[in-house]
Amino acid sequence: MLRVQILGPVRAWRGDNELDLGPIRQRAIFALLALAGGQPLPRAEMIDVLWNDRPPPAAINVIQTHVKRLRRVLEPERAARAPSHVLVSSGNGYAFNVPPDRVDLMRFRGLVAEARRAQEAEAFGSAVTLYLEALRLWQREALSGISILANHPDVVALRGERQAVLAHLTDVAIATGAAVDAVPILEQDAAAQPLDEAAQARLIRVYHAAGQRARAIARYEAVRDRLAAELGVDPGRHLASARAALLAGPTT
């Protein structure tokens, strides 16, 4: 059974065996198809993404060759002329046909949807657990290691999607007295984005709510000093709000 990871380095496994997805553009095609979530992706769109406005004359042939090689890797037992059941031809492009529970992005979105339903039903403990389970699927930045896709709109949108879930987790964990459960994953996020004020403010807020006020103050001061030293700016609204809560005194 195929298993796919794009929330981090792009990887795939058949059973316990990791597959060789080939050179950078071949892996980029695989990632784009997985990112499309089963929707057909035209070859023309792949060409635009992979080569911008300077495609080689044989760009379509290059795409077709990469897809052929990927099919061979993903379905080694498929007969030479048999249709692919994974990278399905669709009009002038291809679609990725893998069950949603075998692709980490789809599992992430499914868990987030469950968490929001739990939150709406006021099952806040379950919501925190589900948000944490979803966020742990991220190994690093989505599609990391494929620089030609770093600024793709869907990849940029994924970063925003993750940040929104981190914000939901922070709010629910604090509101339900489970702030300490959110600390490790928010520490990881803050460490990865030392100059991201929203990420730092989330960590300060959960430290404070978890009764770790001294750590919250130390974090605020360290971030404030780093912003001044590296960017020459003062804390913005996210950090200002977190600082105001700290000055209001210990949480109850």
Side-chain angles (χ1 to χ4, degrees):
M1 180 69 77
L2 190 65
R3 179 166 56 92
V4 175
Q5 171 185 292
I6 59 174
L7 300 180
V10 175
R11 303 171 71 186
W13 296 261
R14 291 183 80 243
D16 295 328
N17 298 318
E18 184 167 358
L19 304 177
D20 181 359
L21 298 176
I24 186 72
R25 281 196 168 87
Q26 188 165 300
R27 285 188 292 124
I29 290 169
F30 177 84
L32 286 169
L33 289 165
L35 187 59
Q39 295 300 309
L41 191 64
R43 284 189 292 269
E45 186 173 331
M46 294 184 197
I47 290 169
D48 286 343
V49 172
L50 297 179
W51 288 285
N52 295 314
D53 58 350
R54 302 177 69 118
I60 288 178
N61 291 336
V62 173
I63 295 283
Q64 291 172 330
T65 297
H66 284 318
V67 169
K68 180 179 179 180
R69 290 172 179 168
L70 283 169
R71 284 171 168 168
R72 193 177 301 138
V73 169
L74 299 171
E75 301 172 279
E77 298 173 0
R78 181 177 60 90
R81 296 185 179 275
S84 172
H85 296 292
V86 176
L87 300 185
V88 181
S89 294
S90 178
N92 61 352
Y94 309 96
F96 194 60
N97 182 32
V98 175
D101 65 340
R102 307 302 296 175
V103 181
D104 60 355
L105 173 59
M106 302 303 127
R107 286 179 19 237
F108 168 76
R109 288 175 171 162
L111 287 165
V112 169
E114 284 187 59
R116 288 179 176 161
R117 287 193 293 270
Q119 194 172 342
E120 289 168 2
E122 299 186 357
F124 298 116
S126 294
V128 169
T129 299
L130 288 162
Y131 280 134
L132 286 170
E133 186 177 350
L135 288 162
R136 289 187 186 114
L137 291 172
W138 288 71
Q139 299 302 306
R140 288 209 300 272
E141 282 284 328
L143 282 63
S144 63
I146 304 184
S147 58
I148 54 178
L149 299 183
N151 295 317
H152 187 283
D154 289 345
V155 177
V156 174
L158 265 183
R159 295 179 196 133
E161 199 172 327
R162 181 174 181 269
Q163 293 303 306
V165 174
L166 285 162
H168 281 300
L169 169 66
T170 301
D171 292 342
V172 178
I174 289 173
T176 59
V180 69
D181 295 331
V183 165
I185 205 154
L186 293 178
E187 284 181 331
Q188 291 174 14
D189 185 55
Q193 305 181 89
L195 296 176
D196 185 303
E197 293 193 44
Q200 301 302 322
R202 284 192 292 266
L203 180 57
I204 290 166
R205 289 176 59 208
V206 295
Y207 276 156
H208 188 204
Q212 302 175 25
R213 189 165 181 266
R215 293 183 76 184
I217 292 170
R219 169 66 60 161
Y220 171 81
E221 292 175 346
V223 175
R224 177 200 61 199
D225 294 347
R226 187 164 186 172
L227 287 170
E230 297 188 24
L231 301 181
V233 299
D234 294 324
R237 62 183 179 86
H238 293 293
L239 285 171
S241 177
R243 178 176 181 271
L246 284 172
L247 293 178
T251 59
T252 57

